[in-house]
Amino acid sequence: MESLQPFRHVLVIEDQKARRIVVLEQSTYSVGRESSNDIVIYDRIVSRHHATLLRIKKSPRHDSYFYRIIDGDLEGNKSTNGLMINGKRCESHNLKHGDVILLGNKAKLSYYILSNAIDIALFNPIESAKVESLSEATISWSDNYKSTAIESEKLEQFDRDDLMRLASFPELSPNPIIEIDYEGNLTYLNPAASIKFSNMQRASLEHPILMGLLAQAPNVEGNLLLREVKVGEEVYEQYVHFLSENKLIRSYLFDVTERKRAQENLQYQAFHDSLTNLPNRAFFNEQLAIALANAKRNRNLMAVMFLDLDGFKNINDTLGHTIGDRLLQSFAKRLSACLRGGDTLARWGGDEFTILLPQIRSAEDTIKLAQRILNELKLPFEISENQIYIKSSIGIALYPQDGQDAETLVKHADAALYRAKEQGRDRYRFYSSSMASKASLLLKLEGLLRQALNKNELSLHYQPQADVKTNVLTGIEALLRWSHPELGQVSPVKLIPLAEETDLIVPLSEWVLQTACKQNRLWQEAGLQLVPVAVNFSLRQFHQPNFVKMVMRTLEETRLEPQWLEIEITEAAIAHNLDYALQTLQSLRQIGIRFALDDFGTGQTSLSYLQKFSFHTLKIDRSLIQILKDNPHDSAMVRAIVASGRSFNLRVVAEGVENLQQLEILQRLQCEEVQGYWFSRPLKPEDATQFLVRSRVEA
């Protein structure tokens, strides 16, 4: 004789025939529409052998068990329509109290774990008669009971309302229901409560669910109390009814753990950056407000640090945003390791980060931290087989001398960051009052430059290049100019770096290329001298993924033949990614575009570059020409460059030639072409046209 189980496992079946109840006691049940199944489902859409129920012990040493439902039979044959359990499609599922199983479109199985019919009667005596008759007709607790479904003729004694009331019994509820009396005695637990809180009897009034309820009984208005209770890792909403007439306290519990976790996750996301998991700007501002209030109250010093990654945009452009994102994550971890307890590191946006030091003894504390950060960045970041060296610029603002409110402190730390970048990057700078006007000017210039692209305030000037012996025009370089109604002529020294610091360098470079190619085509159609027009490209623009397509599209739109375009790039653009540079130049060279290596002599370019990249032109940087004097020591570098260019059969152009002495020295050094004020200043389009007209006549 088997020992009596503390719980009964029940299926309430609803199909086209009727609603009926099956008490599960066998180890295996076959479910389907064929009559040979242990549980027959009357629905044509249900498969012949739709599912299988298996009884599984929770532990070899424990008598308790549960049922698992499997799609199809035990030979691996699946049903046609599958199983839908609690709204989700499953191939197998460990059943829990209250689970709802759909077979096809209409057939439904509801699974419950019941203690016994006597418990139901005790909880709701009004229904006891019906439960007892149901028990007599369909459920026998005798040892020789063989599980079976309610016969259809016995079902006739119960109408639909009876069955609906049965399904609404506390015993069938998937949510825990608990009752105690005013003496603190536990009078009722439904099966869901017994399963969920197995230690309830032992813990009694010390259990979190029951704790404090007796003390609340005289004080609750309206006999209803709602509270939130945490039991282990789970959170419940507890609705407590104080039944004063019966001297009972009844609790209904609803598991809100997932909802609370979702709320906490939303709260976390609202104040944290999803990429680095650092606090975000909103969180930083909250902490800064708290720190300011404490600093004012306690009269202590505090600091805000603003920092970013030097050259991060180039990494994104050349290695891709995936590598860039991983670099930001690694950078954030290194920064976090540098901080003291109580400091706050936040991602401000993009590659910008802020650090709050809520309490410092002196400015020396910020210097130590800044230096620690710069030292940590000397080691490379290993990301996807790439060794990436990164540097950072840091701006520092102190409270109270640099600002007494949050907005001012952050703004002044940002201004100090700009100054650190201007002075060479990879360093920190404290804020000073002279920085505010410069930072404001840069911000204003950026906004005006964006407008200039749309208001036709930008133009190109063209500076000719000539043969030093014959004065014959050999080429012409397009140079960007910005004439603003209020600011006047904005120097290229300010314009180009500003564009490179923002996203404007990309559309700006495309506009320059389009305008230069169009102008050269107009000169050709007018029958003027055929010369290549040279266009400069920054490192960032050159490393754009669509650079080749952009150049080819521009030539097609302007109808300029490729040999009349010369692209100028610097040593830095090549050295940044040799493989990319080689592939890009080869692609454009194949269609006939010319290339010039600009600013040669100022970097660490290997002579092997001249052979590997097959340039057409080598341009000597103007800084070498400006110091050129008629003595062997000063002219040695230029002599070596000219010789290197001639050995590689390159056209060598000296930039920045401004006087006769420089020209004569270059002639003696056998430099054949020059560009500079001695020959011609940069010319407006109409003046450049007249220059070309004169050149044609003189030729």
Side-chain angles (χ1 to χ4, degrees):
M1 180 182 297
E2 294 183 3
S3 60
L4 183 66
Q5 295 295 328
F7 300 107
R8 293 286 175 167
H9 301 257
V10 175
L11 279 182
V12 177
I13 302 171
E14 299 174 74
D15 57 18
Q16 293 178 352
K17 184 175 183 181
R19 177 181 296 191
R20 58 202 187 278
I21 297 174
V22 174
V23 178
L24 303 175
E25 290 192 342
Q26 296 176 188
S27 60
T28 306
Y29 289 87
S30 59
V31 182
R33 76 168 188 264
E34 277 197 353
S35 58
S36 59
N37 286 291
D38 300 305
I39 299 175
V40 180
I41 306 298
Y42 299 96
D43 192 323
R44 292 182 180 179
I45 298 179
V46 173
S47 299
R48 289 184 172 84
H49 300 285
H50 200 104
T52 305
L53 288 170
L54 298 176
R55 186 172 67 190
I56 298 177
K57 273 196 171 187
K58 292 183 178 179
S59 168
R61 299 181 180 181
H62 203 281
D63 290 336
S64 62
Y65 58 85
F66 61 90
Y67 277 90
R68 177 182 295 160
I69 188 166
I70 301 172
D71 184 25
D73 58 25
L74 293 179
E75 297 180 359
N77 301 310
K78 302 295 183 183
S79 66
T80 303
N81 299 306
L83 299 175
M84 189 73 70
I85 301 175
N86 300 329
K88 296 182 179 179
R89 189 166 294 279
C90 301
E91 290 192 358
S92 65
H93 178 74
N94 294 335
L95 292 172
K96 298 183 294 298
H97 183 68
D99 281 349
V100 176
I101 308 149
L102 294 182
L103 311 178
N105 294 330
K106 296 182 179 180
K108 181 174 80 171
L109 313 180
S110 301
Y111 176 81
Y112 300 103
I113 302 173
L114 307 180
S115 54
N116 54 56
I118 298 175
D119 286 343
I120 299 176
L122 286 173
F123 186 83
N124 196 335
I126 297 175
E127 298 292 337
S128 61
K130 291 176 181 176
V131 173
E132 287 170 2
S133 54
L134 176 64
S135 300
E136 292 170 359
T138 63
I139 303 176
S140 168
W141 303 130
S142 62
D143 297 329
N144 59 0
Y145 172 76
K146 182 178 180 181
S147 176
T148 182
I150 302 173
E151 300 298 335
S152 58
E153 60 272 15
K154 294 180 181 178
L155 272 171
E156 293 175 0
Q157 62 184 301
F158 304 105
D159 59 20
R160 183 177 181 83
D161 292 337
D162 292 331
L163 292 172
M164 288 295 290
R165 281 194 292 273
L166 175 64
S168 69
F169 281 163
E171 291 286 316
L172 303 185
S173 173
N175 300 307
I177 300 174
I178 302 166
E179 188 178 86
I180 61 173
D181 61 23
Y182 274 26
E183 302 298 322
N185 300 309
L186 192 63
T187 57
Y188 177 75
L189 284 84
N190 75 339
S194 298
I195 295 169
K196 183 64 76 173
F197 310 120
S198 58
N199 65 335
M200 178 73 72
Q201 293 276 6
R202 184 172 62 257
S204 187
L205 296 179
E206 296 300 315
H207 195 280
I209 298 297
L210 304 180
M211 192 176 295
L213 290 185
L214 290 180
Q216 292 279 0
N219 305 318
V220 176
E221 295 183 6
N223 298 325
L224 178 63
L225 171 69
L226 172 62
R227 67 178 186 175
E228 191 174 279
V229 181
K230 188 171 184 180
V231 182
E233 296 299 318
E234 296 175 330
V235 182
Y236 294 88
E237 280 185 352
Q238 183 179 7
Y239 292 81
V240 185
H241 290 266
F242 293 89
L243 308 175
S244 54
E245 293 183 1
N246 299 324
K247 297 188 180 303
L248 294 174
I249 303 174
R250 186 176 300 158
S251 294
Y252 299 85
L253 292 120
F254 300 90
D255 191 339
V256 294
T257 306
E258 291 303 319
R259 189 181 77 194
K260 295 292 290 186
R261 286 175 182 167
Q263 290 173 347
E264 290 171 0
N265 188 45
L266 288 174
Q267 181 77 0
Y268 182 86
Q269 291 175 357
F271 289 100
H272 286 78
D273 171 56
S274 59
L275 178 65
T276 62
N277 286 323
L278 290 178
N280 60 13
R281 185 184 301 193
F283 185 90
F284 182 87
N285 286 334
E286 281 197 359
Q287 295 302 304
L288 179 54
I290 295 171
L292 276 169
N294 291 334
K296 290 175 182 178
R297 182 171 57 252
N298 302 323
R299 297 184 178 180
N300 62 267
L301 297 176
M302 56 170 285
V304 172
M305 303 176 71
F306 210 116
L307 62 158
D308 69 3
L309 282 72
D310 294 335
F312 178 71
K313 290 178 181 177
N314 294 329
I315 292 172
N316 258 349
D317 294 340
T318 55
L319 299 180
H321 288 278
T322 300
I323 298 296
D325 286 348
R326 292 181 59 187
L327 176 60
L328 287 174
Q329 292 169 337
S330 299
F331 181 75
K333 289 180 181 178
R334 283 203 195 176
L335 287 182
S336 298
C338 295
L339 300 187
R340 311 168 306 175
D343 296 341
T344 299
L345 169 66
R347 185 183 180 198
W348 193 254
D351 66 333
E352 295 178 327
F353 296 80
T354 49
I355 298 175
L356 170 63
L357 308 179
Q359 188 169 358
I360 58 174
R361 292 167 296 181
S362 66
E364 185 67 24
D365 289 346
T366 63
I367 294 175
K368 290 179 180 178
L369 175 58
Q371 197 57 59
R372 187 157 60 244
I373 291 171
L374 296 178
N375 290 337
E376 280 293 321
L377 296 179
K378 290 180 180 178
L379 294 175
F381 291 88
E382 303 282 347
I383 300 176
S384 297
E385 300 181 355
N386 293 293
Q387 272 199 347
I388 303 176
Y389 288 87
I390 196 72
K391 297 178 181 179
S392 178
S393 299
I394 305 173
I396 306 169
L398 302 176
Y399 170 87
Q401 58 262 44
D402 297 335
Q404 298 190 24
D405 62 83
E407 183 179 356
T408 301
L409 282 171
V410 172
K411 182 176 68 175
H412 287 172
D414 192 20
L417 170 65
Y418 267 100
R419 180 58 58 87
K421 287 182 173 296
E422 287 179 350
Q423 294 180 345
R425 304 172 184 256
D426 189 29
R427 63 193 64 205
Y428 64 87
R429 283 292 175 267
F430 285 92
Y431 171 78
S432 67
S433 57
S434 62
M435 295 178 182
S437 59
K438 185 64 179 291
S440 299
L441 177 60
L442 287 173
L443 185 62
K444 182 178 180 180
L445 282 175
E446 181 181 345
L448 293 174
L449 181 55
R450 291 183 184 276
Q451 296 176 16
L453 277 169
N454 300 322
K455 292 184 176 181
N456 298 320
E457 294 174 2
L458 301 175
S459 63
L460 292 185
H461 287 195
Y462 299 90
Q463 187 170 36
Q465 301 163 349
D467 188 294
V468 297
K469 294 180 179 179
T470 64
N471 280 345
V472 173
L473 186 68
T474 57
I476 195 164
E477 181 179 358
L479 300 171
L480 181 62
R481 294 292 184 266
W482 179 17
S483 179
H484 188 267
E486 298 176 8
L487 301 175
Q489 290 290 338
V490 180
S491 169
V493 176
K494 291 183 179 178
L495 173 57
I496 301 304
L498 175 63
E500 289 180 341
E501 284 290 333
T502 67
D503 292 332
L504 293 174
I505 192 63
V506 176
L508 196 60
S509 297
E510 292 185 13
W511 180 87
V512 170
L513 179 64
Q514 180 86 15
T515 305
C517 290
K518 183 177 180 180
Q519 182 62 68
N520 202 11
R521 177 62 184 173
L522 290 173
W523 287 331
Q524 291 179 3
E525 291 176 347
L528 301 181
Q529 182 177 346
L530 297 175
V531 291
V533 61
V535 178
N536 283 281
F537 283 96
S538 69
L539 182 151
R540 186 178 177 201
Q541 177 60 39
F542 178 67
H543 285 274
Q544 286 291 308
N546 63 342
F547 180 74
V548 173
K549 291 182 179 179
M550 185 271 293
V551 173
M552 295 177 66
R553 182 182 68 248
T554 302
L555 290 174
E556 182 179 351
E557 290 174 353
T558 59
R559 297 184 293 113
L560 181 69
E561 295 181 5
Q563 66 267 30
W564 303 119
L565 171 65
E566 184 168 78
I567 291 177
E568 294 189 6
I569 56 175
T570 62
E571 300 175 36
I574 296 174
H576 190 76
N577 189 328
L578 291 176
D579 292 337
Y580 171 85
L582 183 61
Q583 181 181 356
T584 300
L585 294 185
Q586 285 178 343
S587 298
L588 292 176
R589 186 183 178 88
Q590 288 175 357
I591 64 174
I593 293 175
R594 300 166 59 87
F595 289 95
L597 183 58
D598 197 17
D599 298 341
F600 190 79
T602 59
Q604 303 294 325
T605 302
S606 168
L607 290 178
S608 64
Y609 288 3
L610 301 181
Q611 182 178 20
K612 181 182 294 184
F613 287 94
S614 302
F615 290 102
H616 299 87
T617 303
L618 195 63
K619 301 190 74 174
I620 305 174
D621 189 72
R622 66 179 63 250
S623 63
L624 298 177
I625 304 303
Q626 289 173 354
I627 62 172
L628 190 61
K629 295 181 180 178
D630 198 6
N631 64 68
H633 182 270
D634 291 332
S635 60
M637 177 65 79
V638 176
R639 186 188 302 275
I641 293 174
V642 173
S644 298
R646 291 172 65 89
S647 66
F648 285 103
N649 196 29
L650 299 178
R651 169 179 171 246
V652 180
V653 179
E655 295 184 286
V657 179
E658 298 180 353
N659 55 57
L660 181 59
Q661 182 186 18
Q662 293 170 345
L663 180 64
E664 290 175 344
I665 294 173
L666 288 168
Q667 287 176 326
R668 286 196 293 272
L669 295 176
Q670 298 184 332
C671 179
E672 297 177 348
E673 297 183 40
V674 296
Q675 176 182 339
Y677 284 9
W678 177 256
F679 185 67
S680 174
R681 290 176 174 270
L683 304 171
K684 294 180 180 179
E686 55 270 24
D687 295 332
T689 301
Q690 292 303 316
F691 188 96
L692 288 169
V693 170
R694 290 196 301 271
S695 297
R696 182 183 62 180
V697 172
E698 292 172 0

